[in-house]
Amino acid sequence: MVDNTGRKIEYLRVSITDRCNLRCIYCMPKDGIELINHDEILTFEELYRIIKSSSSLGISKIRITGGEPLARKGIIEFIRNVKSIQGIEEVSLTTNGILLEEYLDELLKAGLDRINVSVDTLNEELYSKITRNKGLDKVLRGINAALDKGIKRVKINTVIVKEINNEEIMDFVELIEKIPVDVRFIELMPIGEGKKYTQVSNDEVKNIILKNRELIPFFNVKGSGPATYFKTKSSKGSIGFISPISHEFCSQCNRIRITPEGFLKLCLHWNDGVDLKKYLRNEVSDEELNNIIYKAIKQKPYRHEFKSQNKNSDCRNMSQIGG
């Protein structure tokens, strides 16, 4: 379906938990967040109903996120059930990679199509500083295992933060010259703990790379979304840039989100949306649910305004909203 501005909305990001086994510095406080009570988080059955309803309205791509989605029991069967919904063409997962190797075989058997791994450094010491935990070796083993077992494209999501990991950029360029992964540099968004740190724009990232490599535009990346991709002369993978702050792409936005507690969120920045849990737990019919979601999507905000935060901005941490 299309919203009131004519954008085709076909992509639903589903956050299944606010729990995470890392404490990334720009994502949540050192002591963690106030967790949602388990009975307030949507059940997999409730999430299934939302996805099935959304598919009847034209949603064809599902991305499962968290928190850390692999930390929630039952995720494998959930993925298998979502894959069976008529109209759902692709189910993907965003993970921090700590549990990826452990669950990989089951994920593939369940039909998972693509995997994105969030990792901001390839240096073990810096990894521990950024995530406040250890486990980079597990993450890298998971990535390599995914490539070995048939995931044709594994995407690595990397956020560059000034005076934290801005010296790590070329390490990722060298990585895509060794293995066939797509590294996407994603600009730090001023959400929650992220407001305490300084963004490095993707123009700056690109300029650093250009001092060391020639970047060749590359368009053959499945599920590229808002990213623009490049290769180097010797790359096996590619480099992508997702630049929501410096190069706003709201006019092409095709996505909506479900938070762990069942809020249909229409834009990452804004509080706008509808509490679907309230309806689901009051025995809403399928027809009524379809109509509620339809009306909400129609009102999707035209653009974010991260540069001018106001009372309608969402002030929660990223793990609470859904990565």
Side-chain angles (χ1 to χ4, degrees), residues 155 182-184 216-231 238-242:
K155 295 180 179 179
D182 301 311
V183 171
R184 288 118 55 87
I216 305 162
F218 180 61
F219 304 100
N220 189 27
V221 177
K222 183 175 176 60
S224 59
T228 56
Y229 284 92
F230 298 83
K231 280 182 167 288
S238 68
I239 301 165
F241 298 96
I242 299 178

Side-chain angles (χ1 to χ4, degrees), residues 297-321:
I297 291 174
K298 280 291 184 182
Q299 300 303 316
K300 178 176 168 63
Y302 179 67
R303 58 177 296 185
H304 70 68
E305 292 187 11
F306 280 123
K307 294 180 181 179
S308 58
Q309 300 282 334
N310 60 52
K311 65 179 181 180
N312 294 319
S313 303
D314 197 327
C315 298
R316 293 174 295 171
N317 288 295
M318 198 66 178
S319 60
Q320 295 169 298
I321 297 171

Side-chain angles (χ1 to χ4, degrees), residues 97-131:
I98 295 290
L99 299 171
L100 179 57
E101 184 181 29
E102 178 181 344
Y103 284 98
L104 184 60
D105 287 341
E106 293 178 84
L107 289 168
L108 294 177
K109 288 178 184 177
L112 187 70
D113 294 294
R114 291 195 293 112
I115 297 172
N116 287 15
V117 183
S118 301
V119 56
D120 300 322
T121 177
L122 302 176
N123 177 282
E124 181 69 64
E125 184 178 347
L126 185 55
Y127 180 87
S128 296
K129 178 181 178 180
I130 292 173
T131 66

Side-chain angles (χ1 to χ4, degrees), residues 23-58:
R23 295 288 182 271
C24 295
I25 55 174
Y26 57 79
C27 188
M28 67 171 73
K30 182 178 181 180
D31 296 326
I33 57 173
E34 183 177 350
L35 298 173
I36 305 168
N37 290 332
H38 281 288
D39 58 358
E40 293 301 321
I41 291 178
L42 290 189
T43 65
F44 282 132
E45 291 76 14
E46 289 168 331
L47 288 168
Y48 179 87
R49 278 197 72 190
I50 291 172
I51 295 170
K52 188 174 181 181
S53 180
S54 300
S55 72
S56 72
L57 298 172

Side-chain angles (χ1 to χ4, degrees), residues 47-322:
L47 288 168
Y48 179 87
R49 278 197 72 190
I50 291 172
I51 295 170
K52 188 174 181 181
S53 180
S54 300
S55 72
S56 72
L57 298 172
I59 294 293
S60 60
K61 299 176 182 178
I62 304 297
R63 175 165 295 280
I64 299 170
T65 71
E68 171 46 48
L70 293 178
R72 182 168 177 181
K73 293 180 180 178
I75 184 175
I76 304 299
E77 186 63 25
F78 177 61
I79 290 172
R80 186 177 292 112
N81 289 336
V82 172
K83 283 285 293 184
S84 71
I85 296 174
Q86 185 176 359
I88 298 301
E89 299 172 359
E90 180 181 280
V91 179
S92 55
L93 176 78
T94 294
T95 172
N96 61 33
I98 295 290
L99 299 171
L100 179 57
E101 184 181 29
E102 178 181 344
Y103 284 98
L104 184 60
D105 287 341
E106 293 178 84
L107 289 168
L108 294 177
K109 288 178 184 177
L112 187 70
D113 294 294
R114 291 195 293 112
I115 297 172
N116 287 15
V117 183
S118 301
V119 56
D120 300 322
T121 177
L122 302 176
N123 177 282
E124 181 69 64
E125 184 178 347
L126 185 55
Y127 180 87
S128 296
K129 178 181 178 180
I130 292 173
T131 66
R132 301 188 179 104
N133 209 331
K134 295 181 180 180
L136 179 60
D137 56 331
K138 294 181 181 179
V139 176
L140 297 178
R141 287 203 308 269
I143 291 170
N144 285 312
L147 294 171
D148 290 342
K149 294 185 178 182
I151 298 290
K152 292 182 179 178
R153 284 288 176 183
V154 177
K155 295 180 179 179
I156 295 176
N157 294 339
T158 301
V159 177
I160 300 297
V161 183
K162 190 173 183 180
E163 297 181 354
I164 300 293
N165 63 337
N166 52 294
E167 300 295 326
E168 307 293 303
I169 295 167
M170 292 309 300
D171 289 350
F172 286 100
V173 175
E174 292 169 5
L175 181 68
I176 64 109
E177 294 175 336
K178 295 175 182 176
I179 60 176
V181 295
D182 301 311
V183 171
R184 288 118 55 87
F185 292 105
I186 303 176
E187 288 180 336
L188 175 69
M189 286 178 273
I191 296 174
E193 293 292 296
K195 296 176 184 177
K196 298 178 181 179
Y197 296 89
T198 302
Q199 174 211 94
V200 178
S201 76
N202 271 340
D203 288 337
E204 296 175 77
V205 175
K206 188 180 293 185
N207 286 335
I208 289 170
I209 297 172
L210 286 171
K211 291 178 181 178
N212 298 275
R213 299 287 195 280
E214 178 186 357
L215 288 177
I216 305 162
F218 180 61
F219 304 100
N220 189 27
V221 177
K222 183 175 176 60
S224 59
T228 56
Y229 284 92
F230 298 83
K231 280 182 167 288
T232 67
K233 288 184 176 180
S234 59
S235 63
K236 296 181 179 179
S238 68
I239 301 165
F241 298 96
I242 299 178
S243 314
I245 307 301
S246 63
H247 297 280
E248 176 191 303
F249 46 78
C250 297
S251 63
Q252 285 86 45
C253 184
N254 66 345
R255 66 196 60 190
I256 53 176
R257 298 168 180 261
I258 294 292
T259 66
E261 71 275 31
F263 189 77
L264 175 58
K265 192 170 176 59
L266 304 172
C267 173
L268 182 59
H269 175 217
W270 299 110
N271 280 318
D272 298 292
V274 58
D275 180 7
L276 294 182
K277 179 175 64 182
K278 176 180 69 176
Y279 295 100
L280 289 167
R281 296 187 179 179
N282 281 282
E283 300 183 356
V284 66
S285 69
D286 290 344
E287 183 179 355
E288 289 170 327
L289 182 60
N290 288 358
N291 193 43
I292 290 165
I293 295 173
Y294 176 87
K295 288 181 177 179
I297 291 174
K298 280 291 184 182
Q299 300 303 316
K300 178 176 168 63
Y302 179 67
R303 58 177 296 185
H304 70 68
E305 292 187 11
F306 280 123
K307 294 180 181 179
S308 58
Q309 300 282 334
N310 60 52
K311 65 179 181 180
N312 294 319
S313 303
D314 197 327
C315 298
R316 293 174 295 171
N317 288 295
M318 198 66 178
S319 60
Q320 295 169 298
I321 297 171

